[in-house]
Amino acid sequence: MEEIFKNFLTEIEKSVSENVYNLWYSPLKPISLVDDKFTIQVPMIIHKQVLSSTYKDLIDTTLYSITNSHYEMIYLTEEEVTNIKDKDTKNVDKKETNLDVEDEWETNLIPRFTFDNFVVGDSNKLAVVSAHTVAQHPGQVHNPLFLYGKSGIGKTHLMHAIGNYIHDNSDLKVLYVTSDEYIMDYTGIAAVNKGADSINYAKSFKDKYKNVDVLLIDDIQFLVVADKSQQEFFNTFNALFNANKQIIISSDRSPDDLKKLEDRLRSRFMMGLPVDIYPPDFNLRCKIINSKLKNTPLEDKLSQDVVEYIANSCQSDVRHIEGSINRLLAYTAMMVPAKIDLNFAVEALKDYLSTNVYSESSVSKIQKAVADYFNITVNDLKSKKKTSNIAKPRHIAIYLSRVETDEGLARIGLEFGGRDHSTISASIEKISNELKTDEKLNNTLKEIKNKL
């Protein structure tokens, strides 16, 4: 295998440019060559996509020229390789001991979501501190922990981080599920025939949900569509809570806003600690981008203006940032540029980002519209500059953010460079008073609203 792979790299290096070789081939490692299956370890998922599509024909042809055989190429990340090896080791151990071992408990946790790779900023600091506390003292404080906020801002990552920490540092039984999975499990009781099967299924359901030490349930808002499942979750919640078991819940809205959930459920969600996670501000988005670039072919190759361009363009959630980085990676693989500057990034992401600039009614959208209207930048609005050509548009943007969105003063302050509550309140009051007598200002706001 090693000899074949060495010859393979030698031939590939002759066939592609130096940049392509260094980007997509030099990091590869051979794992196994069994029958007609050749397994290769790659650094990232994007490598799997590019090698199995863009360079598939080249790889197949090169291998055939060396071995005179056709191979099925299997690409695995380091994490996937490790998981396979761990599972094989456990299976061997069970066979060697020849003991009646209880079936391994499925936590449903994603190992890569940890506290170490969760990027912390002002918008999520309270949630992270609370999550650490719960992970270190499950069932003792903040029970239940209720994380809420818009989609794509890290709630699921944080839940898995809590679960992984507890799983790795204790012998407690941890279970992560979505509310959809909970509903499916519960409705399965009614789906099976009456009699022994039904009794066994009901017992399995109880064993799964009421005998855990830590229950993490994601997207609880979807429980509103299932009245009977709500009733059963109420029972599950009480059983776990009364036994001092830790419950962690996430939702896209606060407990008070889950109007279609039973009052008794919502009141229980408020018993512990509800924590709001805000969308990342500009500085946090830059930190997230730099974090996502680590161990990728783009690490240390993007200038700060490219990072800021992506941060300014992806203002709603982290998934949008990840999508932009993956697209930039794929475009780099195709074009193999001598350097990755702002012009290249704009070209690579133009179709992806242009459709998102005004995609939702949000503070970010308002900032962009106001900046465009006054021919300044969003960064100017977030800066500490106090010149009149910046200060007045900033007051207008803050005012519109308050009256055109549901965001609170603290959240708006975060999006405007971390300004405090009193500063935001003063800007809103200033524009409100001026609107009473200033016809020109009224017309300006109408034009910006039309643009929105």
Side-chain angles (χ1 to χ4, degrees):
M1 178 185 68
E2 296 286 351
E3 188 66 24
I4 290 173
F5 190 72
K6 181 180 179 182
N7 292 334
F8 165 76
L9 289 182
T10 299
E11 293 303 316
I12 287 290
E13 194 169 10
K14 297 175 184 176
S15 305
V16 299
S17 69
E18 182 181 357
N19 284 341
V20 168
Y21 181 81
N22 291 335
L23 194 62
W24 301 108
Y25 292 98
S26 62
L28 304 183
K29 297 178 182 178
I31 300 298
S32 67
L33 183 59
V34 181
D35 298 329
D36 62 344
K37 292 181 172 60
F38 203 160
T39 303
I40 304 291
Q41 180 178 308
V42 298
M44 294 182 62
I45 292 176
I46 188 66
H47 285 76
K48 297 168 68 171
Q49 298 167 348
V50 170
L51 294 174
S52 56
S53 57
T54 306
Y55 297 113
K56 182 181 186 306
D57 291 342
L58 174 61
I59 291 170
D60 290 344
T61 302
T62 304
L63 270 176
Y64 186 80
S65 68
I66 296 169
T67 64
N68 203 32
S69 298
H70 292 289
Y71 291 98
E72 177 187 349
M73 302 302 294
I74 300 172
Y75 301 106
L76 300 176
T77 62
E78 182 178 1
E79 181 182 346
E80 290 169 332
V81 172
T82 302
N83 289 342
I84 291 172
K85 289 180 179 178
D86 287 346
K87 182 178 272 189
D88 289 343
T89 301
K90 289 176 181 177
N91 290 336
V92 169
D93 289 344
K94 287 181 181 179
K95 289 178 182 178
E96 289 180 350
T97 54
N98 198 27
L99 296 173
D100 292 331
V101 182
E102 182 181 344
D103 289 342
E104 186 181 353
W105 177 258
E106 288 291 338
T107 64
N108 299 329
L109 294 170
I110 301 174
R112 72 175 182 274
F113 288 155
T114 67
F115 286 122
D116 290 339
N117 57 26
F118 189 89
V119 186
V120 184
D122 290 337
S123 60
N124 59 26
K125 189 178 295 180
L126 176 59
V128 174
V129 171
S130 304
H132 271 286
T133 303
V134 167
Q136 293 165 8
H137 308 284
Q140 300 178 39
V141 291
H142 305 331
N143 197 19
L145 177 63
F146 193 102
L147 304 171
Y148 66 96
K150 295 179 180 179
S151 176
I153 56 175
K155 301 188 300 295
T156 298
H157 185 149
L158 207 50
M159 292 182 79
H160 283 279
I162 297 171
N164 282 317
Y165 183 93
I166 296 172
H167 180 262
D168 294 341
N169 293 277
S170 73
D171 57 358
L172 298 181
K173 188 178 284 188
V174 181
L175 176 65
Y176 166 88
V177 293
T178 65
S179 60
D180 282 343
E181 290 169 332
Y182 183 89
I183 293 169
M184 288 175 63
D185 281 347
Y186 178 68
T187 54
I189 296 175
V192 298
N193 296 326
K194 293 182 179 179
D197 287 344
S198 179
I199 294 172
N200 290 337
Y201 193 97
K203 182 179 183 301
S204 296
F205 178 87
K206 180 179 178 180
D207 289 342
K208 180 176 181 178
Y209 288 101
K210 296 183 181 179
N211 292 333
V212 298
D213 299 302
V214 181
L215 176 64
L216 306 102
I217 185 160
D218 212 349
D219 292 324
I220 198 70
Q221 69 272 10
F222 294 124
L223 206 61
V224 300
V225 301
D227 292 339
K228 291 185 177 180
S229 294
Q230 282 189 47
Q231 296 171 22
E232 182 54 38
F233 185 71
F234 177 79
N235 296 332
T236 300
F237 184 100
N238 281 343
L240 294 174
F241 183 83
N242 292 334
N244 293 321
K245 307 298 186 181
Q246 181 67 51
I247 306 164
I248 301 148
I249 300 166
S250 85
S251 171
D252 66 352
R253 65 205 78 169
S254 72
D256 279 341
D257 291 330
L258 294 169
K259 302 300 184 185
K260 293 185 179 181
L261 279 184
E262 294 182 15
D263 288 341
R264 59 180 184 171
L265 262 181
R266 288 193 290 123
S267 66
R268 275 159 177 74
F269 294 162
M270 295 294 293
M271 287 165 47
L273 178 66
V275 183
D276 191 358
I277 304 179
Y278 299 114
D281 59 22
F282 174 76
N283 290 332
L284 180 54
R285 292 196 297 271
C286 288
K287 287 174 66 177
I288 291 171
I289 292 166
N290 286 319
S291 173
K292 298 291 182 185
L293 289 171
K294 286 182 179 178
N295 301 318
T296 76
L298 298 183
E299 185 177 11
D300 300 326
K301 293 184 178 179
L302 294 192
S303 58
Q304 187 60 26
D305 56 353
V306 174
V307 172
E308 291 181 0
Y309 167 67
I310 297 174
N312 273 321
S313 302
C314 304
Q315 300 182 355
S316 56
D317 60 59
V318 177
R319 295 191 187 108
H320 194 188
I321 290 174
E322 291 173 339
S324 297
I325 292 172
N326 285 336
R327 187 179 177 90
L328 190 56
L329 275 163
Y331 197 76
T332 301
M334 182 175 65
M335 303 303 293
V336 195
K339 62 177 181 176
I340 304 172
D341 56 13
L342 182 58
N343 289 334
F344 180 83
V346 170
E347 177 65 25
L349 300 172
K350 62 181 181 181
D351 295 331
Y352 184 73
L353 295 183
S354 62
T355 58
N356 288 280
V357 173
Y358 294 112
S359 62
E360 59 178 281
S361 179
S362 65
V363 174
S364 301
K365 174 183 173 182
I366 290 167
Q367 289 174 331
K368 177 64 177 169
V370 171
D372 287 351
Y373 184 87
F374 287 100
N375 197 28
I376 57 178
T377 69
V378 172
N379 281 343
D380 288 332
L381 295 176
K382 298 179 180 183
S383 72
K384 303 299 182 184
K385 297 175 184 177
K386 296 183 179 180
T387 55
S388 59
N389 69 313
I390 302 296
K392 188 60 174 282
R394 182 185 298 128
H395 294 319
I396 291 173
I398 290 172
Y399 172 82
L400 287 173
S401 296
R402 182 57 173 161
V403 299
E404 296 292 326
T405 76
D406 296 327
E407 304 291 3
L409 298 184
R411 168 75 179 89
I412 294 171
L414 281 174
E415 282 298 327
F416 282 86
R419 286 175 163 79
D420 60 28
H421 177 281
S422 60
T423 302
I424 297 301
S425 182
S427 292
I428 295 168
E429 185 177 357
K430 175 178 175 62
I431 297 299
S432 296
N433 290 334
E434 290 182 8
L435 283 171
K436 296 173 183 177
T437 57
D438 191 335
E439 187 62 28
K440 183 179 178 182
L441 180 60
N442 274 280
N443 290 333
T444 296
L445 261 67
K446 286 179 183 177
E447 290 178 26
I448 295 173
K449 287 181 181 179
N450 286 337
K451 186 173 185 178
L452 292 171

